[in-house]
Amino acid sequence: MKKIILIIAVFIGVSACKVNPFTGQKTLNFYPNSQIFPTAFAQYDQFLTENKVVKGTSEAQMITKVGQRISAAAERWLSANGYPGYLKDYKWEYNLVNDETVNAWCMPGGKIVFYTGILPITQTETGVAVVMGHEVAHALADHGAQRMSAGTLQQVGAVAGNIAIQDEQKRNLFNQAYGIGSQVGVMLPFSRSHETEADRIGLQIMAIAGYDPYEAAKLWKRMKANSGGQSPPEFMSTHPSNDTRINNLTAWAPLAKEEAAKFGVTTFR
Ligand SMILES: [Zn+2]
């Protein structure tokens, strides 16, 4: 019986591996956008109705402006690398929510929330771009979908070959993968490798968008100084350690500028 489960798992694993243009790697992903996005969009809309969305302030406008620049940079990068239309199903949306938690996230399909509690740490438009780039990168690299897929494999194992995941199971997996449920919209921590990947991709995108990549390490230094507070898992100090993250970002900043130069971007705000 175990053997059969393994064969099934390997089969659907192989058939569900695609190369992600941002990571350049084959990753396990059972869920195409068409399956995940409707759930994400519905959860996002529900989140907005249950939280205090800030409208019309200069801060709210800044979140939108940075978000548009970051998403445009991602689209430019994809087009230049042979993936035009890759994000055609994205429905980008950028909202600021009045909540003192130090948090921000991007759901699949480009649904972004910043909490007002993170603004004292981002401080500037460029600081917002660091966090925006990082969160958008998690979505672009399909990190949540990968986590859902890992959850599916466990369930497939548990029910011995019942691959057809029902809608309710799918919703539960989504909620598990995104930490939605008891604490709506509080992202579970990603793995260390996913965090590092999001840092690297986010840095490139922010540079292409015209934001100084050297500001990323400074942002995480401010995050480190704040880490005694109530940071949720996504922004906790230990995973990866802030020092590793700061060192990586400092080392990668010149590469991000080189990447931006390919798009004619040589001055940074
Ligand atoms: Zn992250």
Side-chain angles (χ1 to χ4, degrees):
M1 196 51 155
K2 266 188 181 164
K3 220 176 196 174
I4 293 171
I5 294 168
L6 185 69
I7 289 166
I8 291 165
V10 167
F11 172 73
I12 57 180
V14 168
S15 61
C17 281
K18 272 193 194 159
V19 175
N20 180 292
F22 289 96
T23 64
Q25 290 168 352
K26 280 188 183 176
T27 42
L28 177 66
N29 183 357
F30 299 148
Y31 297 103
N33 294 346
S34 58
Q35 288 208 32
I36 291 192
F37 285 9
T39 310
F41 296 166
Q43 293 281 13
Y44 187 76
D45 288 344
Q46 190 185 336
F47 177 86
L48 294 181
T49 62
E50 292 170 355
N51 287 272
K52 286 176 260 173
V53 179
V54 182
K55 292 278 183 199
T57 67
S58 59
E59 287 174 335
Q61 286 162 358
M62 180 179 66
I63 298 297
T64 300
K65 184 168 101 180
V66 174
Q68 287 170 342
R69 284 188 168 148
I70 292 289
S71 59
E75 310 249 11
R76 281 185 77 189
W77 187 91
L78 282 163
S79 293
N81 285 277
Y83 295 89
Y86 184 81
L87 303 179
K88 64 178 171 15
D89 297 326
Y90 272 56
K91 290 194 165 65
W92 294 102
E93 199 173 336
Y94 325 93
N95 279 292
L96 179 64
V97 160
N98 196 351
D99 187 310
E100 65 187 20
T101 314
V102 179
N103 204 8
W105 41 262
C106 175
M107 275 189 188
K111 298 295 188 182
I112 293 154
V113 161
F114 269 65
Y115 294 61
T116 48
I118 203 169
L119 297 179
I121 297 172
T122 54
Q123 289 184 358
T124 63
E125 184 182 329
T126 304
V128 168
V130 175
V131 174
M132 187 80 73
H134 176 91
E135 295 306 326
V136 165
H138 276 307
L140 295 174
D142 296 323
H143 288 161
Q146 285 177 46
R147 201 154 57 184
M148 273 182 78
S149 300
T152 304
L153 265 193
Q154 285 173 355
Q155 288 207 358
V156 168
V159 297
N162 180 10
I163 298 175
I165 296 285
Q166 303 303 313
D167 275 358
E168 194 185 330
Q169 282 175 291
K170 201 170 75 190
R171 213 163 31 242
N172 290 341
L173 280 165
F174 180 91
N175 291 349
Q176 273 173 26
Y178 290 95
I180 293 164
S182 53
Q183 289 176 293
V184 171
V186 178
M187 284 278 188
L188 294 173
F190 286 100
S191 70
R192 178 185 301 245
S193 62
H194 281 179
E195 283 305 322
T196 304
E197 205 163 71
D199 281 342
R200 187 180 54 75
I201 297 166
L203 197 70
Q204 285 198 3
I205 295 173
M206 74 173 285
I208 294 168
Y211 294 107
D212 183 1
Y214 281 96
E215 290 294 317
K218 294 182 196 167
L219 177 280
W220 284 103
K221 280 178 190 164
R222 296 198 291 274
M223 200 70 84
K224 182 184 174 186
N226 178 72
S227 61
Q230 291 186 319
S231 305
E234 168 70 345
F235 292 105
M236 257 165 37
S237 60
T238 51
H239 198 74
S241 87
N242 268 321
D243 291 331
T244 304
R245 170 168 256 158
I246 289 162
N247 290 341
N248 282 343
L249 290 167
T250 305
W252 293 334
L255 304 174
K257 283 198 169 179
E258 278 175 31
E259 188 68 23
K262 293 181 194 167
F263 293 84
V265 180
T266 52
T267 56
F268 302 90
R269 61 176 77 80

